[in-house]
Amino acid sequence: MIEILKARAKQGYRTMSYPNGPAPEMPTRFVGKAVLHPGTCSADCQACVDACPTDAITVKDGSPFLDLGRCVFCRKCQYACPSGSISFSRDFQMAEATREGLILHPGDVASAPLPNLDIKKLFGRSLKLRQVSAGGCNACEADTNVLGTIAWDLGRFGIQFVASPRHADGLLVTGPVTANMELALRKTYAAVSYPKLVIAVGACALSGGLFASHDETHKGVTDILPVDLFIPGCPPHPSTILDGLLQLIGRI
């Protein structure tokens, strides 16, 4: 035990300072929010549309529109575009309060702040969430679990994951909602007392992702439940999830 305490003392303070300090540094291969460059798209070009595996892109009047809720951040559209109309930034702040807010237009730069839901008035100083994996591949689930580690320490904001929906203020749902998970999801939601929130995390939960056309899955959580917060990504970086949760509770 003494050796453990010595090792811990030597490690020092390891929890990041964000949001009171700088945002955590993104890994070299991190792919953030897409940027659509106006006036560069050829009117008759469909290269990006043809390359996208999830039908996240449409072209109207010579301009591309990208649905972050469908996007799996594979960058195939960027590589296929001959005019450089699409690129991906290192911006990890992508959460939106509405599904429509995830549709990117040419020239869009930053996300609008989430509306103030007055979380303190509804839930006090704590927010308890029940995480439901509705057929996910475990990537979104893993990045959500990271928030509980010492470097992130989600509990310092009063946000905690609980084992029972009866102890929760809302659900954090990952996965496309498979046919086998629909009833379980509905029952879990029903067990949460009002007022309650639903947070959809990851492309599958937002739109069905790569499984949207499969007969045994739904096209995301909105087919089943009302959603209050949409966090895109495949999977979302822990910073993206944390940023969305902190905006939701009014901490940033």
Side-chain angles (χ1 to χ4, degrees):
M1 177 62 74
I2 296 297
E3 295 302 320
I4 294 175
L5 293 176
K6 287 182 178 179
R8 182 65 189 89
K10 185 177 180 180
Q11 290 172 355
Y13 188 76
R14 300 178 64 186
T15 303
M16 68 178 67
S17 57
Y18 183 79
N20 296 326
E25 184 178 350
M26 295 295 103
T28 303
R29 299 177 65 180
F30 172 75
V31 179
K33 187 176 182 179
V35 178
L36 308 179
H37 306 281
T40 59
C41 191
S42 175
D44 58 350
C45 180
Q46 295 283 317
C48 59
V49 177
D50 296 337
C52 182
T54 57
D55 298 324
I57 304 176
T58 57
V59 175
K60 299 178 182 178
D61 300 324
S63 297
F65 295 79
L66 190 148
D67 184 353
L68 278 180
R70 290 177 176 265
C71 184
V72 292
F73 297 80
C74 64
R75 302 177 72 176
K76 287 186 176 181
C77 56
Q78 179 180 351
Y79 301 142
C81 180
S83 58
S85 297
I86 303 174
S87 63
F88 285 82
S89 70
R90 296 181 62 77
D91 181 8
F92 64 87
Q93 297 176 305
M94 293 181 277
E96 293 286 349
T98 65
R99 186 65 181 83
E100 294 74 20
L102 293 171
I103 309 297
L104 295 184
H105 300 72
D108 285 351
V109 178
S111 299
L114 296 179
N116 184 0
L117 299 179
D118 201 357
I119 294 297
K120 285 187 178 180
K121 183 177 180 180
L122 293 174
F123 304 113
R125 294 182 178 273
S126 66
L127 183 65
K128 311 296 185 183
L129 299 173
R130 175 67 169 97
Q131 200 274 323
V132 179
S133 177
C137 69
N138 202 43
C140 293
E141 294 85 345
D143 278 354
T144 300
N145 289 341
V146 166
L147 298 178
T149 63
I150 191 171
W152 302 82
D153 190 15
L154 187 64
R156 63 194 161 118
F157 304 110
I159 305 174
Q160 294 178 323
F161 290 100
V162 295
S164 171
R166 298 191 183 280
H167 300 159
D169 301 310
L171 303 182
L172 187 149
V173 187
T174 56
V177 188
T178 61
N180 287 338
M181 279 300 298
E182 178 182 350
L183 180 59
L185 179 60
R186 290 185 183 276
K187 285 185 174 181
T188 305
Y189 179 75
V192 181
S193 60
Y194 286 96
K196 51 188 170 183
L197 300 167
V198 176
I199 302 167
V201 174
C204 288
L206 270 58
S207 66
L210 291 168
F211 308 101
S213 61
H214 199 287
D215 292 339
E216 292 299 314
T217 67
H218 292 272
K219 294 183 179 179
V221 183
T222 52
D223 276 2
I224 310 298
L225 304 175
V227 177
D228 300 283
L229 180 65
F230 299 85
I231 303 179
C234 188
H237 191 276
S239 296
T240 302
I241 303 172
L242 177 63
D243 175 76
L245 294 177
L246 292 183
Q247 287 197 60
L248 181 67
I249 65 175
R251 289 296 297 267
I252 55 176

